[in-house]
Amino acid sequence: MREIEVVSEKQRVIRLSSETAGSAEEPQFRIAEIFESLQGEGYNTGMPAIFIRLGRCDLACSWCDTDYMRFNYVPLSQVLAMLQGYTARNIIITGGEPVVHPRLGSLLDALKERGYTLCIETNGLHQVPEQIDYIATSPKACYAERYVGGGLTEADEVRIVVDVSGVSADVGGELQPSDSEYSFEVTEKERQFMHFAQAMAQKISAKQYYLSPLEEEGEMNIHQTIRLIGLLNVTEQANKVRLLHKNG
């Protein structure tokens, strides 16, 4: 694989060279990185997996720590060749936002033909290809209004980053339970975030729901995250919200 180069949003032409295997007819994929490791978050924490990180995203969360605009165009045959050096049989397709890739289906078909179990990590604004076996979606409170009218309605797990200060819109009505039933004060921004979390729990049917702490001014908002989990779990929803601890 060539050295990674920075590709700007305006560079949409696929550049082929003698260093790139395959023909101009072969599907090309925006590969940020491919590596083998253990899943570090969510229900499948500890699961051996090959991670295929695709470039680009249709959101721009201020706290995102992924350089999704740094990638190479790599042909399908070369992607498949790279996988031969790994032993895991689970593949996690991540990003950026992988579902916005125009030829994702070609990659997924090739992986399924080779017997891999396919997982995807997505923001949940788009429908997920049918080849995917496990869906982990992470709705973003900083784009709350975009989740009102569309996006996923089913997933295996939902992970919501506790971005209280970044909530872009109040998508709910009255909290359930009402504010008067809480034993301590809830700020307006926390109320808006809880509206969003409850709306996502009602909209997206899943077996697992998680809140994930966010680094703010050099510190993780772990105490606030745990407090909000406690408040959300007072509700009568069937599945309890859990703490998502991200490793690596």
Side-chain angles (χ1 to χ4, degrees), residues 139-142 144 158 160-203 209-211 221 223-237 239 241:
K140 303 300 190 293
C142 52
V158 176
I160 302 179
V161 173
V162 181
D163 181 18
V164 170
S165 62
V167 179
S168 62
D170 193 343
V171 299
E174 295 296 323
L175 286 178
Q176 300 295 327
S178 65
D179 291 0
S180 61
E181 296 179 59
Y182 295 134
S183 59
F184 46 82
E185 183 178 353
V186 178
T187 70
E188 180 60 27
K189 276 294 188 180
E190 288 176 333
R191 183 179 296 106
Q192 291 179 11
F193 176 83
M194 291 173 66
H195 283 162
F196 178 72
Q198 287 184 340
M200 293 302 97
Q202 293 169 2
K203 174 185 177 181
Y209 296 87
Y210 298 94
L211 292 190
N221 61 349
H223 181 269
Q224 182 181 48
T225 299
I226 293 174
R227 187 165 67 89
L228 291 175
I229 288 173
L231 293 175
L232 289 168
N233 283 343
V234 175
T235 69
E236 296 180 356
Q237 65 187 49
N239 293 296
V241 179

Side-chain angles (χ1 to χ4, degrees), residues 30-51:
R30 298 187 289 257
I31 301 296
E33 58 180 342
I34 297 177
F35 62 95
E36 186 173 30
S37 186
L38 302 177
Q39 171 61 286
E41 58 185 324
Y43 183 75
N44 291 317
T45 294
M47 179 184 75
I50 302 167
F51 291 77

Side-chain angles (χ1 to χ4, degrees), residues 214-221:
L214 173 67
E215 184 175 341
E216 297 181 316
E217 299 180 354
E219 294 187 5
M220 301 297 290
N221 61 349

